[in-house]
Amino acid sequence: MSSVIWYLYEFARKSWAEKFADAKSGHDIVERPARFRDFPEVFKEYCIGCGACTAACPAPGAIKLVRDSDTSETEGLTYPVITAGACIRCGFCAEVCPTDPKAIECGENHLIREEFTILPVEKMFVIDDYLCIRCKKCMNACRVEGAITEEDNKIVIDQSKCIACGDCLKNCPVKGALKGIYISNVEEQKRIINLAVQKLEKAIEDNQDEIKVLPADKVLKMELPADELIEESLQILNNEEMVIDLIEKVTDRLKLRVITWDEEKCTKCRLCLEDCPSGAIIYDEEKGVKRDPDKCLRCSTCYQTCPFGVAGYYIAKFLLKRSPEEDVILITLKASNLPI
Ligand code: SF4
Ligand code: SF4
């Protein structure tokens, strides 16, 4: 099916459509467009006459099985004959041909080459080398020879061979070590990730007073109902499976750094002003030393510079908890263990 999509894509180009509308018959196709497969080549001596090629061919009249007449010495050969004018060079016949060596060969299937972005899959599976424990369970579970290999003590997925069945993901025992990433609607996915981060930041921001008084050895737990985020995400991308998968990945992966500002402790020494790399801290004689959260990079420099503990530095982690009644994002916040 993927080859068909590629051909449709190629045929949908304006120049092709114009030529199609003004078709002139009579000349042979002499050049093969760079991305197209070759015409199938038949090796009749290997054919077993199964007919799989004729069943797979989507182009009317492009392929038929013929049988030579028997002679007194041998039985006539059965083999496919391709009509070049009708063949669309999708290569399906060669792909289904079960003989070894193949009775039909048909160039390279360009579609499964990594550099082409139109992959015949919805999800791409990638390994996070940092989390991977090299147990090779994915490799053993993979049904495609050579799709997962070990190279230089790293587990590697060959995207050109992967058929996106997801068996590797099901067998990986480490959360996050293997990920299935949707390769469609990338812009929408980015917007949803942004939306999720904004909502999580807002939820934390609303609890600033509690955070400021959080002792270093305690954690603060909060809950953010996820229904609103899910609903708004569905307005961006109307695919619930993808939306939930994305929110799960964001919450799994995300660590938000939180800086708090306790003005009462400030002596206006202004050491932080010079050190802040983004100019987020300003001084005003009347208002004192102020931090602009919109400019702040949360690098924690002020936290490490201020001798009076005005800046607080916390880390928030998240978890999406799903239930039939209500989906909730659990937020856990604790003081950073960075030395002051
Ligand atoms: S998705 Fe399937 S084919 Fe691809 S690497 Fe995982 S198990 Fe193998
Ligand atoms: S199953 Fe997961 S942890 Fe094990 S080798 Fe594969 S990616 Fe790594």
Side-chain angles (χ1 to χ4, degrees):
M1 191 47 74
S2 56
S3 300
V4 171
I5 292 167
W6 183 255
Y7 277 85
L8 288 175
Y9 177 76
E10 192 65 28
F11 288 172
R13 287 182 316 153
K14 188 166 172 274
S15 57
W16 192 93
E18 278 166 3
K19 278 188 204 145
F20 180 79
D22 187 25
K24 296 189 180 52
S25 59
H27 61 259
D28 289 332
I29 301 168
V30 283
E31 279 180 26
R32 176 175 61 88
R35 287 189 297 263
F36 279 28
R37 295 176 76 157
D38 294 317
F39 280 111
E41 200 179 340
V42 176
F43 301 90
K44 51 171 132 171
E45 62 277 24
Y46 301 132
C47 179
I48 55 168
C50 67
C53 52
T54 53
C57 175
I63 191 166
K64 64 176 179 212
L65 268 190
V66 298
R67 188 168 178 271
D68 287 342
S69 314
D70 298 337
T71 64
S72 48
E73 293 89 47
T74 57
E75 214 174 67
L77 275 179
T78 302
Y79 54 92
V81 172
I82 315 275
T83 305
C87 170
I88 61 165
R89 290 165 288 162
C90 63
F92 286 180
C93 53
E95 268 163 35
V96 297
C97 175
T99 66
D100 185 16
K102 280 192 183 267
I104 308 184
E105 281 184 7
C106 187
E108 186 182 356
N109 186 348
H110 299 281
L111 276 162
I112 54 175
R113 276 180 22 201
E114 201 177 350
E115 59 266 36
F116 288 97
T117 50
I118 302 181
L119 291 169
V121 292
E122 274 206 331
K123 263 185 174 178
M124 202 167 144
F125 291 82
V126 290
I127 290 179
D128 184 330
D129 189 49
Y130 181 70
L131 295 174
C132 172
I133 55 168
R134 279 75 166 148
C135 66
K136 298 187 199 164
K137 288 196 172 153
C138 54
M139 207 162 117
N140 297 333
C142 180
R143 61 183 90 171
V144 181
E145 206 184 322
I148 305 185
T149 51
E150 189 182 9
E151 287 169 25
D152 300 329
N153 194 31
K154 277 188 183 175
I155 308 295
V156 184
I157 297 183
D158 182 341
Q159 299 301 340
S160 66
K161 291 188 176 147
C162 174
I163 55 165
C165 63
D167 287 351
C168 50
L169 189 58
K170 281 180 219 143
N171 284 279
C172 176
V174 183
K175 195 162 190 220
L178 226 159
K179 290 184 221 30
I181 296 168
Y182 287 98
I183 57 169
S184 55
N185 303 95
V186 175
E187 273 313 307
E188 286 87 348
Q189 291 189 58
K190 280 190 207 159
R191 282 171 59 198
I192 292 171
I193 292 170
N194 244 322
L195 184 70
V197 174
Q198 280 168 19
K199 288 215 179 281
L200 292 168
E201 280 198 316
K202 170 85 176 47
I204 293 170
E205 195 69 25
D206 290 346
N207 282 283
Q208 282 286 327
D209 291 345
E210 267 187 84
I211 298 169
K212 274 188 207 162
V213 294
L214 181 67
D217 57 347
K218 292 269 184 307
V219 293
L220 184 65
K221 291 187 187 260
M222 321 172 201
E223 287 189 1
L224 174 71
D227 293 349
E228 195 183 299
L229 170 63
I230 294 171
E231 244 165 63
E232 283 180 37
S233 302
L234 285 170
Q235 306 285 324
I236 299 172
L237 180 61
N238 193 14
N239 179 329
E240 195 169 341
E241 191 194 336
M242 254 173 111
V243 161
I244 298 294
D245 190 76
L246 256 185
I247 295 175
E248 259 176 349
K249 281 204 188 87
V250 172
T251 47
D252 266 4
R253 186 92 183 144
L254 194 67
K255 265 192 213 164
L256 279 186
R257 291 182 289 183
V258 180
I259 300 286
T260 55
W261 203 254
D262 192 341
E263 277 179 25
E264 283 173 15
K265 292 183 182 163
C266 181
T267 63
K268 303 191 179 53
C269 71
R270 283 174 269 163
L271 286 171
C272 55
L273 249 76
E274 262 183 36
D275 280 3
C276 173
S278 66
I281 304 175
I282 45 167
Y283 174 67
D284 181 297
E285 239 169 71
E286 269 176 38
K287 293 182 193 150
V289 181
K290 294 275 174 203
R291 172 184 153 265
D292 180 348
D294 291 337
K295 283 191 184 164
C296 173
L297 300 172
R298 299 177 183 83
C299 65
S300 83
T301 306
C302 55
Y303 164 80
Q304 293 173 73
T305 304
C306 175
F308 307 103
V310 173
Y313 179 39
Y314 301 85
I315 304 283
K317 287 190 184 177
F318 310 92
L319 183 73
L320 177 65
K321 194 174 130 212
R322 306 212 66 205
S323 84
E325 297 81 48
E326 194 188 28
D327 297 322
V328 170
I329 297 178
L330 306 175
I331 306 174
T332 313
L333 205 122
K334 69 175 182 61
S336 149
N337 52 10
L338 249 191
I340 300 181

PDB file of all heavy atoms in Angstrom, residues 251-262:
ATOM      1  N   THR A 251       4.420  14.000  30.513  1.00  0.00           N
ATOM      2  CA  THR A 251       4.445  13.944  31.969  1.00  0.00           C
ATOM      3  C   THR A 251       5.536  12.993  32.474  1.00  0.00           C
ATOM      4  O   THR A 251       6.149  13.227  33.502  1.00  0.00           O
ATOM      5  CB  THR A 251       3.067  13.535  32.536  1.00  0.00           C
ATOM      6  OG1 THR A 251       2.596  12.416  31.801  1.00  0.00           O
ATOM      7  CG2 THR A 251       2.070  14.652  32.432  1.00  0.00           C
ATOM      8  N   ASP A 252       5.775  11.929  31.721  1.00  0.00           N
ATOM      9  CA  ASP A 252       6.837  10.990  32.091  1.00  0.00           C
ATOM     10  C   ASP A 252       8.206  11.631  32.057  1.00  0.00           C
ATOM     11  O   ASP A 252       9.078  11.357  32.861  1.00  0.00           O
ATOM     12  CB  ASP A 252       6.887   9.854  31.057  1.00  0.00           C
ATOM     13  CG  ASP A 252       6.065   8.679  31.500  1.00  0.00           C
ATOM     14  OD1 ASP A 252       5.419   8.809  32.540  1.00  0.00           O
ATOM     15  OD2 ASP A 252       6.069   7.660  30.798  1.00  0.00           O
ATOM     16  N   ARG A 253       8.399  12.415  31.040  1.00  0.00           N
ATOM     17  CA  ARG A 253       9.732  12.882  30.684  1.00  0.00           C
ATOM     18  C   ARG A 253      10.065  14.216  31.352  1.00  0.00           C
ATOM     19  O   ARG A 253      11.217  14.510  31.651  1.00  0.00           O
ATOM     20  CB  ARG A 253       9.715  13.078  29.161  1.00  0.00           C
ATOM     21  CG  ARG A 253      10.996  13.424  28.542  1.00  0.00           C
ATOM     22  CD  ARG A 253      11.713  12.171  28.109  1.00  0.00           C
ATOM     23  NE  ARG A 253      13.011  12.497  27.563  1.00  0.00           N
ATOM     24  CZ  ARG A 253      14.064  11.753  27.719  1.00  0.00           C
ATOM     25  NH1 ARG A 253      13.988  10.640  28.380  1.00  0.00           N
ATOM     26  NH2 ARG A 253      15.209  12.099  27.205  1.00  0.00           N
ATOM     27  N   LEU A 254       9.017  15.000  31.572  1.00  0.00           N
ATOM     28  CA  LEU A 254       9.239  16.391  31.945  1.00  0.00           C
ATOM     29  C   LEU A 254       9.662  16.565  33.406  1.00  0.00           C
ATOM     30  O   LEU A 254       9.142  15.923  34.304  1.00  0.00           O
ATOM     31  CB  LEU A 254       7.919  17.150  31.711  1.00  0.00           C
ATOM     32  CG  LEU A 254       7.978  18.654  31.706  1.00  0.00           C
ATOM     33  CD1 LEU A 254       8.770  19.163  30.517  1.00  0.00           C
ATOM     34  CD2 LEU A 254       6.574  19.221  31.666  1.00  0.00           C
ATOM     35  N   LYS A 255      10.646  17.450  33.559  1.00  0.00           N
ATOM     36  CA  LYS A 255      10.990  17.908  34.905  1.00  0.00           C
ATOM     37  C   LYS A 255      10.950  19.412  34.789  1.00  0.00           C
ATOM     38  O   LYS A 255      11.671  19.967  33.970  1.00  0.00           O
ATOM     39  CB  LYS A 255      12.423  17.507  35.238  1.00  0.00           C
ATOM     40  CG  LYS A 255      12.568  16.241  35.984  1.00  0.00           C
ATOM     41  CD  LYS A 255      13.994  16.155  36.488  1.00  0.00           C
ATOM     42  CE  LYS A 255      14.457  14.726  36.521  1.00  0.00           C
ATOM     43  NZ  LYS A 255      15.921  14.642  36.633  1.00  0.00           N
ATOM     44  N   LEU A 256      10.092  20.066  35.572  1.00  0.00           N
ATOM     45  CA  LEU A 256      10.071  21.526  35.493  1.00  0.00           C
ATOM     46  C   LEU A 256      10.885  22.093  36.640  1.00  0.00           C
ATOM     47  O   LEU A 256      10.770  21.646  37.782  1.00  0.00           O
ATOM     48  CB  LEU A 256       8.638  22.046  35.605  1.00  0.00           C
ATOM     49  CG  LEU A 256       7.774  22.022  34.363  1.00  0.00           C
ATOM     50  CD1 LEU A 256       6.457  22.717  34.660  1.00  0.00           C
ATOM     51  CD2 LEU A 256       8.440  22.691  33.173  1.00  0.00           C
ATOM     52  N   ARG A 257      11.711  23.071  36.304  1.00  0.00           N
ATOM     53  CA  ARG A 257      12.452  23.740  37.367  1.00  0.00           C
ATOM     54  C   ARG A 257      11.652  24.962  37.794  1.00  0.00           C
ATOM     55  O   ARG A 257      11.101  25.669  36.965  1.00  0.00           O
ATOM     56  CB  ARG A 257      13.844  24.120  36.859  1.00  0.00           C
ATOM     57  CG  ARG A 257      14.674  22.863  36.643  1.00  0.00           C
ATOM     58  CD  ARG A 257      16.049  23.162  36.194  1.00  0.00           C
ATOM     59  NE  ARG A 257      16.059  23.650  34.825  1.00  0.00           N
ATOM     60  CZ  ARG A 257      17.188  23.926  34.177  1.00  0.00           C
ATOM     61  NH1 ARG A 257      18.345  23.787  34.773  1.00  0.00           N
ATOM     62  NH2 ARG A 257      17.152  24.358  32.945  1.00  0.00           N
ATOM     63  N   VAL A 258      11.576  25.172  39.062  1.00  0.00           N
ATOM     64  CA  VAL A 258      10.753  26.258  39.598  1.00  0.00           C
ATOM     65  C   VAL A 258      11.633  27.162  40.453  1.00  0.00           C
ATOM     66  O   VAL A 258      12.349  26.685  41.335  1.00  0.00           O
ATOM     67  CB  VAL A 258       9.607  25.677  40.481  1.00  0.00           C
ATOM     68  CG1 VAL A 258       8.735  26.778  41.042  1.00  0.00           C
ATOM     69  CG2 VAL A 258       8.787  24.667  39.696  1.00  0.00           C
ATOM     70  N   ILE A 259      11.582  28.465  40.168  1.00  0.00           N
ATOM     71  CA  ILE A 259      12.323  29.426  41.008  1.00  0.00           C
ATOM     72  C   ILE A 259      11.299  30.254  41.784  1.00  0.00           C
ATOM     73  O   ILE A 259      10.348  30.770  41.199  1.00  0.00           O
ATOM     74  CB  ILE A 259      13.180  30.378  40.131  1.00  0.00           C
ATOM     75  CG1 ILE A 259      14.208  29.593  39.308  1.00  0.00           C
ATOM     76  CG2 ILE A 259      13.846  31.465  40.976  1.00  0.00           C
ATOM     77  CD1 ILE A 259      15.394  29.055  40.081  1.00  0.00           C
ATOM     78  N   THR A 260      11.483  30.348  43.065  1.00  0.00           N
ATOM     79  CA  THR A 260      10.601  31.222  43.862  1.00  0.00           C
ATOM     80  C   THR A 260      11.416  32.432  44.324  1.00  0.00           C
ATOM     81  O   THR A 260      12.654  32.411  44.276  1.00  0.00           O
ATOM     82  CB  THR A 260      10.035  30.469  45.075  1.00  0.00           C
ATOM     83  OG1 THR A 260      11.144  29.944  45.827  1.00  0.00           O
ATOM     84  CG2 THR A 260       9.129  29.331  44.663  1.00  0.00           C
ATOM     85  N   TRP A 261      10.724  33.452  44.769  1.00  0.00           N
ATOM     86  CA  TRP A 261      11.389  34.713  45.121  1.00  0.00           C
ATOM     87  C   TRP A 261      10.805  35.239  46.418  1.00  0.00           C
ATOM     88  O   TRP A 261       9.644  35.620  46.450  1.00  0.00           O
ATOM     89  CB  TRP A 261      11.154  35.716  43.977  1.00  0.00           C
ATOM     90  CG  TRP A 261      12.156  36.808  43.918  1.00  0.00           C
ATOM     91  CD1 TRP A 261      11.952  38.113  44.279  1.00  0.00           C
ATOM     92  CD2 TRP A 261      13.498  36.720  43.492  1.00  0.00           C
ATOM     93  NE1 TRP A 261      13.082  38.842  44.088  1.00  0.00           N
ATOM     94  CE2 TRP A 261      14.059  38.007  43.606  1.00  0.00           C
ATOM     95  CE3 TRP A 261      14.303  35.680  43.026  1.00  0.00           C
ATOM     96  CZ2 TRP A 261      15.374  38.272  43.271  1.00  0.00           C
ATOM     97  CZ3 TRP A 261      15.602  35.948  42.685  1.00  0.00           C
ATOM     98  CH2 TRP A 261      16.128  37.226  42.810  1.00  0.00           C
ATOM     99  N   ASP A 262      11.595  35.236  47.498  1.00  0.00           N
ATOM    100  CA  ASP A 262      11.079  35.699  48.792  1.00  0.00           C
ATOM    101  C   ASP A 262      11.630  37.083  49.085  1.00  0.00           C
ATOM    102  O   ASP A 262      12.728  37.246  49.635  1.00  0.00           O
ATOM    103  CB  ASP A 262      11.502  34.695  49.881  1.00  0.00           C
ATOM    104  CG  ASP A 262      10.769  34.947  51.178  1.00  0.00           C
ATOM    105  OD1 ASP A 262      10.232  36.071  51.346  1.00  0.00           O
ATOM    106  OD2 ASP A 262      10.733  34.035  52.023  1.00  0.00           O
TER     107      ASP A 262
END
